Amino acid sequence: MDKVIRIGTRESQLALWQANLVKDLLTAQGFSTVLVPIKSDGDIDLVTPLYEIGVQGIFTKSLDLALLNDRIDIAVHSYKDVPTQLPKGLINAAILERGPVKDLLVYKHDTQFLEDSTYVANIATSSIRRKAQWLRRYPQHQLHNLRGNVNTRLQKLASENWDAAIFAAAGLERIGVRPPESMILDWMLPAPAQGAIVVACREDDTFCREALTPLNHADTALCTGIEREFLRYLLGGCTTPISAYAYIQEGELYFEGNLCNLDGTLSLTVSHQLPVAKTAGLGTSAAKEILAQGGDAIIEEIKHVQR
């Protein structure tokens, strides 16, 4: 009898879209699959700001436990939600080809408020990274916490007296809910691995590891690996405004990494262009450059504020 691969997923529309994408890819290879929806702590508590929850792995922990307890065989995650240190016994078996990477501003009426330096706009996001970058550009604006899945956040924006909210473009575009009243924030550097989907499984599950191998996209795996190496070396998570983006063009890898303090008044950036064959250790060396520029002081300041 054929083994049925049990695919663990969160229950949001976006998570189910991502899990169904993996399901379709495995089905096309001839595997039998079934979806197993599982609630995460991040889906249950929609009030507490992410950085107050002890956020590392908040959206992945429940699926990790289900994997370790053999309730599911594989788990599908937004890669940017996955901690850089995986639980013992689990591996990231496939990173799918990356989707849209950038952040997106969804606005209520128009974007004229962005040109008016005297107007105090109300902008919503739960991301400490987006808040820091936004305040660096628009220090007069008021930032508000916005939690929940994509649809919940869009509804909240509609009901609150806010001017706009910031989303990952991939989340809205994948499930077809990007409003016409939106614009890509080209100037905002994304979270490490934003726009990428990862599939995890048990390290000793050779059947699933082999099934997932053809789903792995080498360029995406390389780029997101460098971004996450940068994040890991800086000891960052959702509690630190760390951004990183790597992409490949004509055999060259382009990388940009950034660390901000919480209000965006201090910002350190590093950028590199290297042949793909010479990118080993780039995430670590870039992080060391950030620390040498004064990044260690920024990280200590953030830790002190959040104690």
Side-chain angles (χ1 to χ4, degrees), residues 226-234 242-243 257-258 283 287 290:
I226 290 168
E227 294 162 19
R228 283 168 57 82
E229 183 183 299
F230 177 79
L231 175 70
R232 181 171 58 247
Y233 195 87
L234 292 175
I242 296 171
S243 317
N258 175 269
I290 289 284

Side-chain angles (χ1 to χ4, degrees), residues 28 52 71 74 80 95 150 175 180 231 243 268 305:
E52 291 180 9
R71 291 173 53 206
I74 65 175
K80 70 183 176 69
I95 295 129
V150 167
I175 60 172
L231 175 70
S243 317
L268 303 174
V305 169

Side-chain angles (χ1 to χ4, degrees), residues 148-169:
N149 62 44
V150 167
N151 295 307
T152 302
R153 282 181 280 149
L154 285 170
Q155 290 162 10
K156 183 88 170 167
L157 172 61
S159 64
E160 293 285 341
N161 189 28
W162 296 333
D163 295 281
I166 310 170
F167 296 80

Side-chain angles (χ1 to χ4, degrees), residues 200-213:
C201 71
R202 288 181 294 280
E203 197 167 7
D204 60 4
D205 187 344
T206 53
F207 179 86
C208 285
R209 288 179 70 164
E210 288 173 10
L212 292 168
T213 296

Side-chain angles (χ1 to χ4, degrees), residues 32-273:
S32 300
T33 59
V34 63
L35 292 187
V36 182
I38 291 171
K39 277 198 188 301
S40 77
D41 292 345
D43 296 317
I44 295 164
D45 179 357
L46 299 180
V47 178
T48 311
L50 284 173
Y51 52 85
E52 291 180 9
I53 296 178
V55 75
Q56 283 280 310
I58 186 167
F59 292 121
T60 60
K61 187 169 64 176
S62 297
L63 289 170
D64 289 343
L65 288 170
L67 268 177
L68 291 168
N69 292 330
D70 198 22
R71 291 173 53 206
I72 58 175
D73 299 303
I74 65 175
V76 182
H77 304 293
S78 294
Y79 203 10
K80 70 183 176 69
D81 292 338
V82 177
T84 54
Q85 186 70 45
L86 291 184
K88 188 174 169 57
L90 301 184
I91 59 158
N92 291 326
I95 295 129
L96 275 56
E97 185 171 3
R98 202 172 204 167
V101 175
K102 292 289 188 177
D103 290 300
L104 181 80
L105 188 72
V106 177
Y107 49 89
K108 279 278 193 63
H109 307 296
D110 56 48
T111 57
Q112 287 182 357
F113 67 87
L114 296 177
E115 312 303 322
D116 184 351
S117 60
T118 63
Y119 180 71
V120 180
N122 289 284
I123 309 296
T125 175
S126 66
S127 163
I128 209 161
R129 169 190 61 85
R130 290 172 181 148
K131 284 180 182 178
Q133 290 192 51
W134 191 270
L135 287 171
R136 182 161 184 79
R137 197 175 180 94
Y138 303 106
Q140 77 276 20
H141 289 181
Q142 291 288 319
L143 277 294
H144 303 269
N145 282 311
L146 177 61
R147 291 283 316 282
N149 62 44
V150 167
N151 295 307
T152 302
R153 282 181 280 149
L154 285 170
Q155 290 162 10
K156 183 88 170 167
L157 172 61
S159 64
E160 293 285 341
N161 189 28
W162 296 333
D163 295 281
I166 310 170
F167 296 80
L172 274 68
E173 292 179 7
R174 280 174 173 150
I175 60 172
V177 296
R178 176 178 171 176
E181 299 80 16
S182 61
M183 61 184 283
I184 293 290
L185 297 171
D186 279 321
W187 55 267
M188 185 172 278
L189 198 61
Q194 185 160 302
I197 297 167
V198 65
V199 191
C201 71
R202 288 181 294 280
E203 197 167 7
D204 60 4
D205 187 344
T206 53
F207 179 86
C208 285
R209 288 179 70 164
E210 288 173 10
L212 292 168
T213 296
L215 275 58
N216 191 64
H217 187 258
D219 284 1
T220 301
L222 175 63
C223 290
T224 55
I226 290 168
E227 294 162 19
R228 283 168 57 82
E229 183 183 299
F230 177 79
L231 175 70
R232 181 171 58 247
Y233 195 87
L234 292 175
L235 301 176
C238 296
T239 56
T240 313
I242 296 171
S243 317
Y245 179 41
Y247 66 94
I248 294 169
Q249 202 166 12
E250 296 179 356
E252 295 279 301
L253 185 138
Y254 298 78
F255 173 83
E256 186 174 356
N258 175 269
L259 170 69
C260 284
N261 65 349
L262 296 176
D263 63 6
T265 52
L266 294 171
S267 177
L268 303 174
T269 299
V270 60
S271 58
H272 287 281
Q273 176 185 346

